Amino acid sequence: MSRAAVPGTELLDPRWLEDRISEMGISWGTGDARVSGTLWWCMAASSLIAPIVEAFATGSAAMDPALEHIACEIRPDGGIERVFPVPGIGEFDDLEMAGSILGDIAADVTVGEWAGAGERPSTPGAGAGPGADSCCGAAPDEHGCSIGHRLRVSLSRVIPVVAQVSGASVPSLWAIVADAIGNRALDAGDQDAAARLAHEVAGRLPVPRFSDIGSRTFVRRISCCLVFEVPGSEMCTSCPKRPAAQREKLLYELATRG
């Protein structure tokens, strides 16, 4: 199934975000925007940071996380499947060329929309804020901006808009990012990459924490996805809202099952 690709700056549009979060709510069977918005952000945050964590874990070059330099692959349920870098608009001669660069993703966005993506009216969170400074959008070697700092700028632009649309708190959304970094670092086989990236991002981002239980390492979560508030759903095994002893027992059972 083909999926739509949209400019990263769409994440700053409250109306666009509201539609995607509503689609997520329909998919999960909840009309509570705080719940569906939190679930949406859990998936979106993981997709946004995954390429950066992978680069930190492998020592490879990281893509530029500036919203103007990425595209988002959108699933039918409104979630972000993945993000990927997009060449400069000047390199697109026409929509057909843009489509070939985007690969197997449906190029249903016109080149004009890509070109104008950075010129939309200002929205809450799109301008000044924690981490939103003058080096946003510049290559890391031009102004000495680290990839972690640039990721903080992008997250600092998006998170207030997600909070505005969903009603979730800004600290809770940052906590989700921290846990996502921890999980993606474990997936990449380098737990230490999580702390390295978190320290480089800094700002309002907590440092991911881990627990060794049985033969496995788990993220000691500080965020809640609120899935247990969806009708018919249960609390996650690792949910920080579980009593600590119960959570450790469940995780130990999970670890011993392999």
Side-chain angles (χ1 to χ4, degrees), residues 76-103:
D77 66 359
I80 296 178
E81 180 70 17
R82 67 185 179 105
V83 301
F84 55 96
V86 176
I89 294 303
E91 299 175 34
F92 290 150
D93 292 331
D94 52 36
L95 184 57
E96 183 177 354
M97 181 179 295
S100 67
I101 291 174
L102 297 180

Side-chain angles (χ1 to χ4, degrees), residues 2-232:
S2 63
R3 292 170 172 152
V6 301
T9 48
E10 284 292 89
L11 298 175
L12 303 178
D13 185 338
R15 290 185 298 274
W16 184 88
L17 273 179
E18 185 175 5
D19 288 343
R20 303 294 77 73
I21 288 172
S22 294
E23 290 168 353
M24 184 65 64
I26 292 170
S27 174
W28 281 88
T30 177
D32 188 327
R34 184 177 65 92
V35 174
S36 55
T38 300
L39 288 167
W40 184 89
W41 180 242
C42 284
M43 301 175 191
S46 182
S47 295
L48 286 168
I49 59 90
I52 309 299
V53 175
E54 178 71 19
F56 267 67
T58 61
S60 56
M63 74 175 197
D64 183 354
L67 299 178
E68 290 77 10
H69 298 164
I70 64 172
C72 304
E73 178 183 348
I74 308 301
R75 301 198 311 254
D77 66 359
I80 296 178
E81 180 70 17
R82 67 185 179 105
V83 301
F84 55 96
V86 176
I89 294 303
E91 299 175 34
F92 290 150
D93 292 331
D94 52 36
L95 184 57
E96 183 177 354
M97 181 179 295
S100 67
I101 291 174
L102 297 180
D104 60 354
I105 297 174
D108 59 349
V109 183
T110 69
V111 171
E113 288 174 316
W114 283 101
E119 301 173 358
R120 60 177 69 251
S122 61
T123 57
D133 55 30
S134 61
C135 66
C136 174
D141 57 350
E142 287 184 29
H143 298 290
C145 294
S146 69
I147 288 297
H149 177 87
R150 293 164 67 77
L151 178 60
R152 183 178 101 198
V153 171
S154 292
L155 292 169
S156 296
R157 298 171 73 193
V158 174
I159 284 176
V161 192
V162 177
Q164 170 199 332
V165 171
S166 67
S169 72
V170 168
S172 73
L173 299 178
W174 277 107
I176 285 170
V177 175
D179 287 345
I181 289 174
N183 277 311
R184 298 294 73 77
L186 289 178
D187 290 344
D190 184 0
Q191 174 181 326
D192 293 339
R196 294 198 304 273
L197 176 57
H199 283 300
E200 196 169 291
V201 174
R204 304 183 69 171
L205 179 69
V207 176
R209 305 176 301 172
F210 300 91
S211 295
D212 293 323
I213 300 176
S215 60
R216 290 183 57 180
T217 300
F218 296 94
V219 172
R220 183 150 52 101
R221 287 172 50 192
I222 57 173
S223 70
C224 179
C225 66
L226 303 183
V227 69
F228 72 94
E229 295 192 26
V230 173

